[in-house]
Amino acid sequence: MSATAEAAPTTETGGKLSTLDKYLPVWIGLAMLAGLGLGRWVPGIEAALESVEIGGVSLPIAAGLLLMMYPVLAKVRYDRLDTVTGDKRLLISSLAVNWLVGPAVMFALAWAFLADLPEFRTGLIIVGLARCIAMVIIWNDLACGDREAATVLIALNSVFQVVAFGFLGWFYLSALPDWLGLEGAALDISGLDIAVNTAIFLGIPLAAGYLTRKLGERAKGREWYEGSFLPKIGPFALYGLLFTIVVLFALQGEAITTNPGDVARIALPLLAYFAIMWAGTFLLGRAIGLPYDRTATLAFTAAGNNFELAIAVAIATFGVTSGQALAGVVGPLIEVPVLVALVYVSLWARKFFREPAVPGAAASTRSDA
């Protein structure tokens, strides 16, 4: 697509959008409402959804996340990843924004907005520490970001998540508040737990996507794989997204609908966080000369968070009914609609980029109508 493309998502071939794609914000809104309704008015649904877990996350949510990520990772051209790993501007910027700036911004906002609510404040800080490795793949594809770059940055975040999450949890929840004379908290989470979570939610779909492309191209060739197979599995990424949203909100439907004031208090710093992280990183990408597709990827990987890890850590450490767990659940409640809106903002801002896209950049998860 040209830099003057309309600010609306399109198919990879430029075809007419399907009904699912065209009204995606509507379907997301309905999925959120459906989940809230189920959680509020269907007795026992929360216990049923939580009865089986994988990596500390409800099995239905895990299934939805895996379904959501697999089609996108099956589209990645793994033979082009070396063009990403050689881009030092992108890699260094991503690491700095994700692991230095992001947690610090969330810490500051949590204390600024929730100084009198320690449970919610702690929950938000945990969200800020959990850098995105899952749902960001959807936002990146919808915004016509560089799919190969997103894969590399997600893998990089995964490694740093395993290594740095425990240390950063101690620093931002205990050490730094103590140094500043503020009320601290404790976070007991092992590197092994985080490694298991990462292996499940990134390792499984990544391995499946890689093997699908490798075996599919070997059996029938790249033309068949990209022209016939990928369009068929593409919509399942969005089906997985919608299913995940329904289940996620069903788990906390009663808590959200019976405590709207608490949700509003948690939502304010989250709104500020997503706006600051996305806009600041998008401007950074433009300033350092990245093309649009990699700038979009940099911005969405910085703004998104690993809500499944944050929720799992909050539940394991503080309990399923804790304020920390509620703050973790409100994270995607705000993140989903805000980042969908930022997809459209990103596509509109594409006209300010004159550089040609990086060869092999992905366009979208969308299939032709």
Side-chain angles (χ1 to χ4, degrees), residues 113-114 117 120 255-269 326 330:
F113 284 88
L114 301 171
L117 297 170
F120 296 160
I256 291 172
T257 55
T258 56
N259 299 287
D262 291 343
V263 173
R265 288 289 304 272
I266 298 169
L268 288 175
L326 177 60
V330 174

Side-chain angles (χ1 to χ4, degrees), residues 72 94 99 101 108 131 177 221 234 241 268 303:
V72 181
S94 179
W99 296 102
V101 178
R131 312 313 300 166
L241 171 64
L268 288 175

Side-chain angles (χ1 to χ4, degrees), residues 280-291 295 298 353:
T281 310
F282 194 91
L283 292 174
L284 172 64
R286 183 71 178 86
I288 63 177
L290 294 178
T295 295
L298 183 66
F353 290 78

Side-chain angles (χ1 to χ4, degrees), residues 27 36 97 146 237 333:
W27 308 140
L36 291 173
V97 170
D146 186 326
L333 171 69

